[in-house]
Amino acid sequence: MPPPVVTPCGVYMLVRRKIFFLLPLMAGLGACTAGDGRYPSLAMRDFEIAPPAPAAAPPAPIRPVADAALLGDLRTAALRAHAGFTRHEAEAARLARRAAGQPIESDTRAAALVAMADLAAERGATSAVLADLDRLAAEAATTFAPTGEIETARTEVLALVTSQDAAMARLWEIMGQ
């Protein structure tokens, strides 16, 4: 099939079609240039020339979560519980050595288990103080309060609990558990 022949009439029809399509667009663009005052002015506005606002008051200082008296009471409670642990530890060690190698149903083994339960109760009292200090540390961290004194007390009590854990593990090993 031969290529279509473009006649002057065909060219006129193509241009006419494009003109009818572009004419409304050109009229619409002309409407966008109207100066009817709907657009904001570039003049300085009131808030741009007003004096600066006064500075806000400084924030109130963050109060500590725990005062020195509370931390002192918690340290005292931990030391009291540790003293009780130490007091019972010598007797529990003596009973653990006697119970080593004894059958499970023997009276010496039962006495050693009761002594170990007493040690666990004293360790629990020390652990409760550590839990209170952990709660205070978490509260201080979430309120951005100072945590230095709390962390110091927590480290001291954690050392006590760690030493109690080591002593109990040693006694359980002596008993053969």
Side-chain angles (χ1 to χ4, degrees), residues 58-78:
I62 298 174
R63 294 182 307 133
V65 173
D67 59 351
L70 175 62
L71 292 175
D73 290 345
L74 288 172
R75 281 186 179 122
T76 302

Side-chain angles (χ1 to χ4, degrees), residues 151-168:
E151 283 302 317
T152 301
R154 189 181 168 286
T155 302
E156 292 172 10
V157 175
L158 182 61
L160 295 177
V161 171
T162 303
S163 70
Q164 291 173 358
D165 286 342
M168 288 184 68

Side-chain angles (χ1 to χ4, degrees), residues 13-149:
M13 292 302 286
L14 286 174
V15 170
R16 187 174 146 209
R17 225 185 261 165
K18 288 183 181 180
I19 288 174
F20 283 129
F21 177 71
L22 292 175
L23 193 60
L25 287 177
M26 290 171 50
L29 287 174
C32 292
T33 62
D36 60 357
R38 291 185 304 175
Y39 297 102
S41 167
L42 295 179
M44 297 290 280
R45 293 176 283 261
D46 291 337
F47 72 88
E48 293 175 324
I49 57 175
I62 298 174
R63 294 182 307 133
V65 173
D67 59 351
L70 175 62
L71 292 175
D73 290 345
L74 288 172
R75 281 186 179 122
T76 302
L79 290 174
R80 190 177 324 114
H82 185 68
F85 182 91
T86 307
R87 198 171 42 253
H88 289 105
E89 183 181 8
E91 179 64 19
R94 185 182 63 77
L95 291 172
R97 283 191 294 279
R98 283 185 48 207
Q102 296 292 322
I104 293 175
E105 54 279 333
S106 70
D107 289 339
T108 55
R109 190 159 191 91
L113 289 175
V114 169
M116 291 299 286
D118 290 341
L119 280 180
E122 295 294 341
R123 184 204 172 276
T126 311
S127 303
V129 174
L130 182 61
D132 289 340
L133 288 168
D134 285 343
R135 181 187 53 77
L136 288 174
E139 187 178 331
T142 56
T143 59
F144 302 107
T147 59
E149 293 179 15

